[in-house]
Amino acid sequence: MLPSKVHPDLHQPGEEFNPDTGECLIRITPSRLADLGHLQARTSIRSAVTVELDDLENVSIDRSLCFFSAFNRHSKSQTCDVTLERTFTARAYEGRRTAFAKASVILALATAVRAGWAGVHEQWLCSVLLLAVVFPIYCVYIAFAACKDAYSRTKELALVALLGIQGLAVSLAELGRPIPTYGAVCTHMAFVYHFSPIRAGFSFCITLCCSLLAYMVQLHVRPSVRFKDALENEGCEADLKLSDILLPPIMFISMFGLSTSRDWNMRQAMLMRERMRAQRKKLKKAVQKGDDLLRSMLPTQIIDSLKKQLPLEPEMFEEVTVIFVQVSNFSKLCARLAPEAVLAILDLVYWELDRLSDLLHVHKVETVGDVYMAVVGCPTEISNNPDVAAHFALAAQASMRQISESQYCQSNIGRSANGESDADGAKLSIRIGLNTGSVTAGVVGFVMPRFKLVGDTVNVSSRMESTCDAGRIQMTQATRNRLTAGIFEIEDRGEIFVKGKDFMPTFYLNGYAQDEGGVEGHPGEVVPSNSIGVVVKHALSSVSPKSTRTEVLKRSFPLQRLRRSSGRAMRNLIASMPFLEDTEFTTHDNLTISLAEPNYWKGFIAGIDRWWLMVPGDQATPEMLQLLREDKASYLSSTMHRRMSRAQRCIVRCQIMLCALFLLDYKYIDPATMRGSQLADGSVLRTCSIQVVGWLHMYLVLNKHRFENYGETITAALLSLQSLGVVAVSATMYGNEIVTYIVFGQYILFSTAVALQLRVLICCAMLIAYMVLEHVRCAGGMDNNGWERLVYAAGLFFITAIVLRMHEHLEHSAGYYKRNVEMKMARVEQTKLVTSSLLANLLPPHVVELVSSNISPIAERYSDVTVIFTDIKGFTTYSSNISPEDLFETLNAMYAAFDEIILRWGLHKVEVIGDAYFISAGCPDNSEMPDGNAMRAVEVALAMLRSLPAVCDDASVQMRVGLHTGDVIAGVVGKKGPRFQLFGRTVEFANFMESSGTPGRCHISNATYEWLAKGGHDYEFEQSFVDLENERHHTWFVNRSKSKAAWKMRADVLGHRTSLSSNGMSHASSD
């Protein structure tokens, strides 16, 4: 059954649904029917140079000067991609704006408190610099971040200048203090590196020149400051500590490395997002192309049924209106114009007809040459289908008149084959035939299923078109009687002779009735005054009673082998096709994650987690964070080798740094100042608890399996053990110097094999141990400088944790985007492969490439092509006496037999029109000589005549075959449903040879006969004559083949098939 159900809840705005009748009224305004704006759009597309999106596949992120990252485009001249650099800088500026404002507010308050504290202690220089320079600049930053203006180079340079001045002020403020500390300068460096929205190169210059060097210079100019004194100072009095000298350069190196790594990850995330967007566009485009191809072969209702595994049976529709449209002067156009101009004409016509069919819910069935076939009321039932067909026909005639008069038609088509201006050649004239009645509809075909209509209604509609005058619309009495009275202007033509029907009364549809339903439009035209209504039925289309339908289904329940094969072929086709509605894009731009409603504490914790993440808002949404949490297992698995390598490098660097620091012992520590075996005990403790444990850690993370399963546990345990050793060594040998805590704390924070929360917990435990030991060591407790150093250490840990959290989030996001890009690329290639396979069954290989490149129209000229037309006499009567299921079983069997014959002889099936075939020899494959093409065409015709009785045992059903050889124009035209069609006088004459032939015989033209004679192909001929357009033509009937070349070719084909069959059987037996 062909469901035409449209759910009542899914009607669009502008549609009126009537729940009582189950019908939906869709209104279309006349202005939409008359809108030919697509002509101007297509003109600009054809004349303009196509600008493709930037290709991001050849863009990579490279490091310059071993540190700074940049987007480089790999081409003949490897250069920096300026566009991507500007985009990244602007996005980084926007992304850090919020974090910059938050940090500025916090540091402004901290600066005010510190300035007040300095004033209380009479440190006037420090207080003045902080209040007069540093604090106002923080306020400027807040105003800067609050401004919503876009990024500009001037703003960035202004920020660079302010940050540099602020860095100098912070460093010089330490001159106003008796004992300088590391905290202020390290905090400012962290602010510049991690929160300021400027590029990494500017951050490096500011922190190096204005912060670090300025701080070291102010230390150098102090006459009382000596490195050895700071190293040997173990007392609790306020004095210069080792941390005040060593920590600024150490933190500078650490922050610089972290900043450049974060910059690289941000670039990677942006590049992957852009690539994923590009791949998403490509995937949508590829899916859309495949979707359009499939929907051009099968109606949407049938595709939906196949996707839902619903039974698919042919069905009879009680009332539909079939439409045939043909360009009436097409033969003259083909003779007078160049092939490109001819195809341009037809491309215009089909584009416009496709547009009108989409607007009016008319189903396009097929196109054959210059004939356009459509139907109203099938597969979706439309109550007023005759009215809709009449509106379509009148709109099509009006569009053709406008197209003929348009500048586009005159300038692009109004030229003859020799390039001269040809005004008459640009005039379009179509004739349209309408007929209303019942049809049988279903899907036929195995390789490429098609939706077909069968029945006398189709044949009569075709006759209405062929007997119609140019520029007119002709309809039958059945259509005339079903039109709504008073809307249309109808002219009685009288009775005319219709082939197969004798004389029939017909009518011309001239337009809209001006007095009743229309108003004056263009000169000489009347257009509808009100909107056009299309009444769509929502009930399933079913003309037979339920009991009858059940009997039909039961009678056909075990399905015939051919119907099983056809259904299996169609379902396999549907299963291989991705659809737009099935395509899900799991990106933060379009998430469909259902998040459970969190409780208060979980929501509070999640809010804090998002706050201190400090990344752009679109990357910290609850949906994105949830998505990354779900993706964590895949991320850890895909990055295991990288995490192992990073853990090993981190361990080695920490060990080397600690060894370098411990070497200072032998230069600056005097053993005489140590009590007893304090130096020896401290050295042994340092070696065992820090260095040996560190190298043990290195050994344990070398094994892939061990790292994957126990890496976090091993790292957490050994870091805790090492932190205890650091506390003990610092208390034993260095007078509880905080620099050892900070350096090792940085190493702990950078050990990403452990969760960040656990790393922060270990660092907090170390600071608590420092505070406890400092209180024990100093009987009076810590002084102000000690508390200040502790607060600064905690602040540095906190800032580093924030930056690492952001760094890991960006790295995870970049990895997620990268894996999605790879999946999208694979899906794009798969979709392109499926689309190519669909096109390969529809079009020749070289045309597939042109269609894939969106080239339209495609026009080619072929010489001496033999065209075959077939038609089956008596099939309409035969089909009316059997059930729809049996009818389509017969059609499938017939198509399977005919397709095998065509494939065996290497011919091209152009199209199938109901029970008629349209075949070509020598196009698109023109490798054979014309006589060989004519011979193969005759052999195919004779084989089809012989095979028909095997698939249809009714003696009254007989086939007519007509052949003609000549030049043709081939190409692909239209907006939807690409077909490789043949056009020209040769095609029309071959069709005439079929219609003027005798059932059960092969009728060939004199041109085909002459090519057979030239090639020496021997056949038994019978001479005949036919009249066409007051001209007598010499034709021939082929009775029997005596061609030795044909016998040899037939034997080769049979031998090849036998070998394939034997090979298949041998493979089957071996299996």
Side-chain angles (χ1 to χ4, degrees):
M1 185 170 61
L2 304 179
S4 58
K5 187 173 183 179
V6 181
H7 198 278
D9 297 334
L10 301 181
H11 59 277
Q12 302 295 323
E15 300 180 2
E16 303 173 9
F17 177 69
N18 187 341
D20 297 330
T21 62
E23 295 178 338
C24 180
L25 175 60
I26 304 172
R27 296 192 178 276
I28 299 99
T29 59
S31 59
R32 293 182 65 190
L33 293 181
D35 182 15
L36 297 181
H38 66 93
L39 288 180
Q40 181 64 31
R42 294 179 66 214
T43 303
S44 60
I45 290 173
R46 291 169 187 244
S47 59
V49 178
T50 302
V51 180
E52 297 290 341
L53 293 173
D54 289 337
D55 183 13
L56 299 177
E57 299 304 322
N58 62 348
V59 175
S60 64
I61 304 172
D62 299 327
R63 294 185 184 274
S64 57
L65 300 177
C66 301
F67 298 110
F68 303 108
S69 303
F71 294 104
N72 285 334
R73 187 172 292 276
H74 295 276
S75 57
K76 293 182 180 179
S77 58
Q78 185 171 348
T79 57
C80 177
D81 194 303
V82 180
T83 303
L84 279 176
E85 282 294 325
R86 290 175 179 172
T87 304
F88 172 75
T89 304
R91 289 185 181 180
Y93 175 84
E94 295 299 327
R96 293 190 196 177
R97 188 198 295 267
T98 303
F100 186 54
K102 292 178 181 178
S104 297
V105 171
I106 295 173
L107 291 180
L109 295 175
T111 300
V113 172
R114 186 163 175 258
W117 181 86
V120 170
H121 290 80
E122 298 182 353
Q123 299 172 3
W124 304 116
L125 178 62
C126 177
S127 180
V128 169
L129 286 173
L130 292 177
L131 284 178
V133 180
V134 179
F135 180 79
I137 292 179
Y138 277 126
C139 295
V140 173
Y141 294 157
I142 297 171
F144 221 98
C147 181
K148 298 300 182 182
D149 294 340
Y151 164 82
S152 67
R153 185 69 179 271
T154 304
K155 287 184 178 180
E156 186 179 30
L157 293 177
L159 280 178
V160 170
L162 290 175
L163 289 168
I165 295 171
Q166 193 180 43
L168 289 173
V170 169
S171 300
L172 293 177
E174 296 300 316
L175 283 173
R177 304 183 61 192
I179 303 297
T181 58
Y182 66 87
V185 68
C186 288
T187 302
H188 185 263
M189 287 193 296
F191 174 73
V192 173
Y193 269 128
H194 304 315
F195 300 104
S196 62
I198 61 176
R199 281 173 280 185
F202 287 138
S203 300
F204 175 79
C205 295
I206 292 171
T207 53
L208 177 62
C209 300
C210 301
S211 296
L212 180 62
L213 292 181
Y215 177 80
M216 299 306 291
V217 168
Q218 68 90 16
L219 285 181
H220 181 71
V221 298
R222 290 174 180 265
S224 59
V225 173
R226 290 191 309 154
F227 183 74
K228 184 175 180 180
D229 294 339
L231 188 65
E232 294 177 352
N233 183 14
E234 298 183 8
C236 297
E237 66 279 1
D239 204 350
L240 186 69
K241 295 290 186 179
L242 184 63
S243 58
D244 300 323
I245 299 175
L246 291 182
L247 271 181
I250 292 175
M251 295 305 297
F252 170 80
I253 296 172
S254 172
M255 291 176 187
F256 175 68
L258 188 58
S259 175
T260 54
S261 178
R262 183 203 57 194
D263 182 74
W264 191 91
N265 279 314
M266 290 179 67
R267 291 173 182 273
Q268 183 77 0
M270 192 196 89
L271 182 60
M272 290 299 109
R273 283 199 304 271
E274 293 302 317
R275 283 182 178 173
M276 189 160 66
R277 288 191 182 101
Q279 293 300 327
R280 184 165 67 239
K281 290 179 182 178
K282 290 181 180 178
L283 179 58
K284 283 186 176 180
K285 188 176 180 180
V287 170
Q288 182 67 61
K289 182 178 290 186
D291 195 44
D292 291 343
L293 283 174
L294 190 57
R295 294 183 189 279
S296 70
M297 295 183 294
L298 301 174
T300 303
Q301 293 85 348
I302 294 178
I303 295 175
D304 294 339
S305 297
L306 290 172
K307 289 168 62 179
K308 296 175 183 178
Q309 301 295 317
L310 295 177
L312 184 64
E313 300 292 341
E315 185 176 0
M316 178 176 288
F317 289 81
E318 188 69 31
E319 181 183 300
V320 301
T321 300
V322 180
I323 307 169
F324 274 84
V325 184
Q326 185 176 23
V327 180
S328 55
N329 57 340
F330 192 72
S331 298
K332 295 180 180 179
L333 293 173
C334 291
R336 300 177 62 182
L337 302 180
E340 294 77 9
V342 172
L343 268 297
I345 290 177
L346 208 59
D347 195 39
L348 277 175
V349 173
Y350 283 177
W351 266 75
E352 179 59 17
L353 294 179
D354 288 342
R355 185 186 71 87
L356 294 175
S357 66
D358 290 340
L359 282 175
L360 291 169
H361 294 259
V362 176
H363 178 71
K364 175 184 177 181
V365 180
E366 60 195 0
T367 58
V368 184
D370 60 332
V371 178
Y372 187 99
M373 177 184 175
V375 64
V376 186
C378 171
T380 300
E381 283 194 294
I382 296 177
S383 300
N384 61 336
N385 60 84
D387 288 348
V388 175
H391 289 306
F392 174 85
L394 291 172
Q397 290 287 11
S399 296
M400 293 307 110
R401 286 190 288 271
Q402 293 185 55
I403 291 175
S404 294
E405 299 168 0
S406 66
Q407 182 181 358
Y408 175 79
C409 188
Q410 296 292 335
S411 60
N412 291 273
I413 301 176
R415 302 227 170 242
S416 61
N418 58 11
E420 297 178 356
S421 178
D422 185 6
D424 293 334
K427 294 181 179 178
L428 293 180
S429 176
I430 61 174
R431 55 174 181 254
I432 303 176
L434 306 177
N435 183 34
T436 303
S438 62
V439 297
T440 302
V443 180
V444 294
F446 299 97
V447 178
M448 194 51 56
R450 297 283 181 83
F451 180 73
K452 297 293 183 181
L453 305 181
V454 180
D456 188 58
T457 302
V458 178
N459 297 334
V460 173
S461 179
S462 177
R463 299 288 185 256
M464 289 297 100
E465 175 270 313
S466 61
T467 58
C468 181
D469 293 333
R472 304 297 297 271
I473 304 168
Q474 184 174 229
M475 58 185 173
T476 60
Q477 180 78 49
T479 305
R480 165 70 181 85
N481 293 340
R482 289 172 174 80
L483 290 176
T484 302
I487 296 181
F488 304 100
E489 181 182 322
I490 301 172
E491 175 187 344
D492 188 352
R493 188 183 183 187
E495 291 190 349
I496 64 169
F497 178 77
V498 177
K499 184 179 178 180
K501 291 294 181 180
D502 205 1
F503 286 91
M504 289 182 61
T506 62
F507 301 85
Y508 278 137
L509 177 63
N510 293 333
Y512 294 99
Q514 184 171 0
D515 296 335
E516 301 272 349
V519 296
E520 285 289 345
H522 294 282
E525 291 186 15
V526 177
V527 298
S529 58
N530 299 317
S531 60
I532 298 171
V534 180
V535 182
V536 180
K537 290 184 179 181
H538 288 85
L540 293 176
S541 56
S542 176
V543 299
S544 54
K546 183 176 181 181
S547 58
T548 306
R549 187 163 206 78
T550 305
E551 286 181 6
V552 172
L553 291 175
K554 287 181 178 180
R555 177 166 53 86
S556 60
F557 178 64
L559 299 175
Q560 300 288 338
R561 183 177 63 180
L562 287 173
R563 281 171 58 198
R564 287 200 306 266
S565 301
S566 178
R568 185 165 55 250
M570 286 183 289
R571 295 188 192 280
N572 292 338
L573 176 65
I574 298 296
S576 66
M577 283 297 301
F579 292 91
L580 290 176
E581 61 268 20
D582 300 331
T583 306
E584 297 179 0
F585 304 103
T586 53
T587 69
H588 70 280
D589 297 328
N590 183 19
L591 292 175
T592 56
I593 300 175
S594 57
L595 300 175
E597 188 69 26
N599 57 36
Y600 174 79
W601 288 110
K602 287 184 178 180
F604 177 75
I605 295 173
I608 294 178
D609 183 62
R610 289 196 302 274
W611 185 89
W612 77 303
L613 187 55
M614 296 210 178
V615 295
D618 60 339
Q619 299 184 37
T621 60
E623 294 82 5
M624 184 63 184
L625 297 178
Q626 175 69 15
L627 188 63
L628 292 181
R629 281 192 290 269
E630 294 177 358
D631 182 67
K632 187 174 182 180
S634 300
Y635 168 72
L636 294 177
S637 176
S638 63
T639 59
M640 187 181 62
H641 291 286
R642 186 172 64 195
R643 291 186 296 110
M644 281 182 61
S645 177
R646 183 180 300 166
Q648 294 163 11
R649 289 196 306 269
C650 187
I651 293 171
V652 171
R653 290 171 183 172
C654 178
Q655 293 296 97
I656 293 174
M657 182 178 293
L658 289 176
C659 289
L661 291 176
F662 295 154
L663 286 176
L664 298 176
D665 297 350
Y666 299 100
K667 181 173 178 61
Y668 294 103
I669 294 182
D670 186 2
T673 62
M674 310 293 288
R675 295 185 298 272
S677 61
Q678 186 178 2
L679 178 60
D681 294 343
S683 299
V684 172
L685 182 63
R686 180 182 64 197
T687 302
C688 296
S689 63
I690 300 177
Q691 293 177 298
V692 173
V693 173
W695 293 117
L696 176 63
H697 186 194
M698 179 73 176
Y699 168 76
L700 292 176
V701 298
L702 286 175
N703 183 273
K704 175 182 174 181
H705 175 75
R706 191 162 47 230
F707 182 84
E708 183 178 9
N709 293 282
Y710 310 107
E712 185 171 6
T713 304
I714 291 173
T715 303
L718 294 181
L719 286 178
S720 301
L721 185 60
Q722 281 183 300
S723 63
L724 292 175
V726 167
V727 171
V729 170
S730 179
T732 303
M733 298 184 63
Y734 305 113
N736 203 33
E737 177 59 62
I738 199 170
V739 67
T740 55
Y741 292 86
I742 294 177
V743 171
F744 193 76
Q746 294 293 313
Y747 163 66
I748 292 174
L749 291 174
F750 277 88
S751 300
T752 55
V754 183
L756 181 61
Q757 294 85 344
L758 186 55
R759 285 177 271 160
V760 172
L761 183 62
I762 296 174
C763 291
C764 292
M766 289 177 61
L767 291 181
I768 293 173
Y770 166 80
M771 184 176 61
V772 172
L773 289 176
E774 195 68 9
H775 274 279
V776 172
R777 194 173 65 90
C778 302
M782 290 191 299
D783 60 0
N784 292 332
N785 281 352
W787 281 108
E788 185 179 356
R789 291 185 178 94
L790 179 62
V791 170
Y792 279 134
L796 289 177
F797 284 162
F798 179 70
I799 292 174
T800 305
I802 288 178
V803 176
L804 284 171
R805 172 77 172 95
M806 179 168 53
H807 172 82
E808 293 172 9
H809 175 84
L810 292 172
E811 188 177 40
H812 188 175
S813 299
Y816 170 77
Y817 290 133
K818 183 178 181 180
R819 281 179 281 116
N820 272 268
V821 166
E822 293 171 352
M823 289 190 293
K824 292 292 183 295
M825 291 177 67
R827 185 123 188 234
V828 167
E829 294 303 320
Q830 178 188 3
T831 304
K832 287 182 177 179
L833 185 63
V834 174
T835 304
S836 298
S837 65
L838 282 173
L839 285 171
N841 286 283
L842 288 171
L843 306 170
H846 75 285
V847 179
V848 172
E849 299 179 4
L850 298 176
V851 172
S852 300
S853 302
N854 295 323
I855 297 176
S856 177
I858 300 169
E860 299 171 336
R861 185 182 289 275
Y862 291 85
S863 301
D864 300 319
V865 176
T866 301
V867 177
I868 308 173
F869 271 93
T870 71
D871 192 21
I872 301 178
K873 180 187 176 183
F875 192 79
T876 302
T877 305
Y878 170 78
S879 62
S880 62
N881 295 325
I882 61 176
S883 67
E885 289 79 8
D886 294 336
L887 170 61
F888 276 82
E889 282 180 15
T890 304
L891 283 176
N892 273 321
M894 185 188 305
Y895 290 167
F898 292 169
D899 288 348
E900 183 179 1
I901 294 170
I902 295 169
L903 182 64
R904 182 194 312 166
W905 288 94
L907 270 60
H908 177 69
K909 181 176 72 174
V910 180
E911 188 55 89
V912 179
I913 315 104
D915 56 356
Y917 261 66
F918 177 12
I919 311 165
S920 67
C923 174
D925 182 10
N926 57 356
S927 58
E928 289 283 338
M929 295 297 293
D931 64 287
N933 292 327
M935 179 269 294
R936 290 188 297 143
V938 172
E939 291 295 331
V940 166
L942 295 175
M944 294 174 74
L945 289 171
R946 290 192 298 267
S947 64
L948 181 60
V951 295
C952 182
D953 55 2
D954 193 328
S956 63
V957 176
Q958 292 184 311
M959 178 185 289
R960 288 192 307 261
V961 185
L963 287 79
H964 178 57
T965 304
D967 298 342
V968 299
I969 297 171
V972 179
V973 293
K975 182 176 71 172
K976 57 184 181 181
R979 304 285 195 277
F980 185 73
Q981 300 284 0
L982 306 186
F983 312 97
R985 178 67 178 173
T986 300
V987 177
E988 293 188 355
F989 197 80
N991 192 15
F992 171 72
M993 293 301 299
E994 173 270 312
S995 61
S996 61
T998 302
R1001 305 192 70 181
C1002 176
H1003 192 200
I1004 69 173
S1005 67
N1006 194 60
T1008 306
Y1009 171 82
E1010 290 178 353
W1011 277 114
L1012 292 173
K1014 287 180 182 178
H1017 302 290
D1018 190 12
Y1019 290 89
E1020 183 180 302
F1021 296 105
E1022 180 181 329
Q1023 189 173 226
S1024 179
F1025 294 92
V1026 293
D1027 295 324
L1028 176 63
E1029 297 178 353
N1030 300 322
E1031 184 178 350
R1032 196 165 185 78
H1033 295 271
H1034 193 187
T1035 61
W1036 306 82
F1037 285 104
V1038 181
N1039 294 330
R1040 188 165 61 92
S1041 171
K1042 297 188 292 183
S1043 172
K1044 295 182 179 179
W1047 291 351
K1048 183 179 183 302
M1049 186 178 293
R1050 191 183 303 116
D1052 293 340
V1053 171
L1054 291 175
H1056 180 65
R1057 292 183 60 200
T1058 303
S1059 63
L1060 290 177
S1061 300
S1062 60
N1063 290 335
M1065 293 179 63
S1066 63
H1067 286 306
S1069 61
S1070 62
D1071 292 341

